[in-house]
Amino acid sequence: MFLTITATGSPERPATDLGYLLHKHPDNAQAFSTSYGTAHVVYSEASVERCTAALLLELDTVAMVRRGKGKGRGGAPDAALAQYVNDRPYAASSLLAVALSAVFSSAMKGQCNARPDLPARPLPLRVEVPALPARGGADLVRGLFEPLGWTVTVEAVPLDVEFPEWGDSRYVRLVLESARLTLSEALRHLYVLLPVLDDAKHYWVSSDEVDKLLRAGEGWLPDHPEQQLITSRYLSRRWSLTREAMERLELVRLAEADDSAVEEIDNAVAEESGPEEDTEEAAEDTADKAVSLAVQRRDAILAALHTSGSARVLDLGCGQGQLVQALLKDTRFDEIVGVDVSMRALTVAARRLKLDRMGERQAARVKLVQGSLAYTDKRLKGYDAAVLSEVIEHLDLPRLPALEYAVFGSARPRTVLVTTPNVEYNVRWETLAAGHSRHGDHRFEWTREEFRTWAGRVAQRHGYDVEFTPVGPDDPEVGPPTQMATFSIRTARTTAKEEKAA
Ligand code: SAH
């Protein structure tokens, strides 16, 4: 089984740069042993105009069967003969993809120490795979490669050239051409899509496959129209892994495409300084007020956590990590996990906490993880408390039930603290124009009544009790600027006590 990669070039940009990029010198034939056989890299031509490298995998089928790695197509171990007699030696497959990543790993990662300028540069490429098993046919082949910027030629390979009436085999000859892609992109496309088309993985798919898929899919998979099919086939239709991958891809989309995630942090910082001001003096005045509000919010949260006796705490939507930092300073908290959808926010938080310079004991107490609160997440189970400080109002209302389920239904900490602005108080921010929310990314702001109604419903649905605490000056007319709900899980004991009282 083999494929060729051809670069075309000019005197300014010689095609032989391909040799640097692949980390394989065009003058040498090289062989690498893999657990399935030997991978050869040879160049059939190497001139300024054209340079072609071929990757050829010579399989040791007998060894594969002995090592139990040939449990072949469809994984039917009883088809004894199929282990020896199959298309593996001839057809490009997941094995070729594995060889590709082993032999060209630096090129795949886009590393080239000798010529650091090269990897980021698109180059005119032509990839040919003479025999590719294509489950789904030529249409699917085009559907997979064309959205990535390839010009695709697919020709069905006849079952037997002597007997055209027998029709086509399920193999195709594939030629991909593009001048817009980097070699790293091209290799990562092949690494993922060859096994997807083959649709018969030769090894047991484990959860680190999800990591491999996401790494190889960086920059193209999150937006691919066939993302679901690619993910599901790549992961051998293991539903739980596919779901995990799809969720993580969604995160990538959220964090990348949705630049508002970045804005959100900037806004969150701005929020600490209160609504925007016309004059500097007024700004300072409000800033004082608002900074103290942020501090008061943190103090209220810390007090509620102490009352609940929580030691292991989740800070959900932790932003830049101010609360995580405050929790770390308090030795009553043994384990603190900050979760945010925004990688940027987490990076700032890590810097704020000086995670990289932290002593071992401190470091063992704190963790920052990327995740979306709109999905259930096993990593969040089993904690004493979860804090959602100024987070819910950043979700679109239709997404809120998903967060409710992820936090109260799935993670189910004993205590949940939720803070959110009280919209009634907005009239007291002298400078906030009537009807405006406190900052651009708030999807809603609630009255005290609305918050209580929501919290009451959530508590009832998920088996919690809920109490409300004002944060900041509690205005007799409009209430406090921030409202906080403390949810405590109902235990058999609280329920029994209540029944007795009734
Ligand atoms: N808790 C911090 C930050 C509040 S700003 C504080 O009290 O100051 C809101 C934060 O929620 C942002 O950091 C934003 O990235 C995060 N966020 C918004 N939607 C999210 C989601 N679906 N999952 C996880 N985090 C989210």
Side-chain angles (χ1 to χ4, degrees), residues 251 254 260-262 264-265 267-269 271-272 294 297-298 301 315-323 339-343 345-346 370-375 387-395 399 403 419 439 441-443:
L251 289 187
L254 269 172
S260 74
V262 176
E264 249 167 295
I265 322 156
N267 289 339
V269 177
E271 185 184 25
E272 291 201 350
R297 203 156 45 217
R298 248 169 343 254
I301 291 168
D315 182 7
L316 304 176
C318 64
Q320 302 190 321
Q322 290 93 335
L323 178 65
V339 181
D340 206 286
V341 73
S342 159
M343 218 43 223
L346 292 173
Q370 192 198 19
S372 168
L373 301 170
Y375 295 97
V387 180
L388 287 155
S389 164
E390 308 296 281
V391 172
I392 57 169
E393 65 276 11
H394 289 266
L395 274 86
R399 298 295 276 168
L403 172 141
T419 77
H439 84 70
D441 195 59
H442 285 181
R443 310 298 160 92

Side-chain angles (χ1 to χ4, degrees), residues 365-397:
R365 287 173 61 216
V366 64
K367 211 164 44 183
L368 296 177
V369 302
Q370 192 198 19
S372 168
L373 301 170
Y375 295 97
T376 60
D377 189 336
K378 283 200 286 271
R379 298 173 298 179
L380 307 186
K381 285 183 194 257
Y383 285 82
D384 297 334
V387 180
L388 287 155
S389 164
E390 308 296 281
V391 172
I392 57 169
E393 65 276 11
H394 289 266
L395 274 86
D396 288 321
L397 269 175

Side-chain angles (χ1 to χ4, degrees), residues 195-229:
V196 162
L197 283 164
D198 182 21
D199 201 19
K201 277 212 144 179
H202 59 282
Y203 49 86
W204 183 244
V205 175
S206 61
S207 75
D208 69 347
E209 289 300 305
V210 176
D211 294 324
K212 283 188 203 156
L213 173 64
L214 296 187
R215 236 178 287 134
E218 206 181 306
W220 63 271
L221 188 52
D223 299 313
H224 198 294
E226 294 289 353
Q227 181 193 97
Q228 169 115 39
L229 176 139

